[in-house]
Amino acid sequence: PLPEVLDEEMIASVVHGFYDEIRKDDLLGPIFNGAIAPQDWPHHLDKMCAFWSATLLRSGRYDGRPLPPHLALPELGEEHFRRWLALFRATVHELCPPDVAVLFMDRAMRIAHSFRLAIAFNRGE
Ligand code: HEM
């Protein structure tokens, strides 16, 4: 059973808090701000809320394909994934109780790993 405090509101606070930090990050900020124009951020944040809602609450709110935009980013490497996960970990531990933070992290690490494998495979490594 999911912790009761894990709801759409908590997901929205994590998503907004995380991308506020990411956009200021020296390594990841330029990648995100290069791919997403200022006027497109509200749409991106809505999509990411839908993604986490579908992933953790099984709400069915997201039916996109998460991988392709990452394959299209040149030079996405280990250091980017490490930074992404470190920032995400800091955000969820700041905003969520520990049992909820673990649910977010567990899923984020699995997906990050699947992206890494797909990127390596795509490059023929
Ligand atoms: C979309 C970057 C890791 C989930 C995007 C976009 C960028 C990006 C720039 C927007 C693409 C666009 O709209 O043009 C990165 C970078 C990462 C990273 C630099 C770390 C190396 C992750 C991880 C997850 C994730 C670990 C999942 C836990 C998504 C999803 C989308 C997205 C769901 C939306 C895909 C869609 O359009 O439906 N990412 N990402 N990303 N990212 Fe990531």
Side-chain angles (χ1 to χ4, degrees):
L2 289 169
E4 273 184 37
V5 291
L6 176 53
D7 60 6
E8 295 286 348
E9 198 182 327
M10 180 160 287
I11 286 171
S13 90
V14 165
V15 166
H16 286 255
F18 177 59
Y19 288 97
D20 282 350
E21 292 304 317
I22 264 214
R23 295 175 72 178
K24 291 187 281 185
D25 185 69
D26 60 344
L27 179 65
L28 298 178
I31 298 179
F32 278 89
N33 290 316
I36 303 167
Q39 68 272 17
D40 296 334
W41 271 94
H43 173 69
H44 181 70
L45 294 172
D46 284 350
K47 185 158 65 177
M48 295 313 297
C49 288
F51 169 76
W52 281 107
S53 163
T55 301
L56 293 180
L57 302 177
R58 305 210 169 278
S59 65
R61 293 215 294 119
Y62 174 85
D63 70 346
R65 296 194 305 140
L67 179 62
H70 304 91
L71 290 178
L73 292 171
E75 323 225 326
L76 208 56
E78 196 48 36
E79 71 280 21
H80 302 104
F81 283 105
R82 295 179 81 93
R83 182 70 64 86
W84 194 105
L85 288 167
L87 285 175
F88 196 70
R89 179 175 283 109
T91 304
V92 296
H93 281 282
E94 185 187 328
L95 299 175
C96 309
D99 55 341
V100 174
V102 164
L103 292 175
F104 272 107
M105 278 319 295
D106 178 63
R107 208 52 75 92
M109 289 189 296
R110 285 171 201 243
I111 297 167
H113 188 62
S114 77
F115 285 1
R116 282 179 181 125
L117 290 178
I119 287 168
F121 185 74
N122 215 250
R123 288 181 186 151
E125 283 164 15

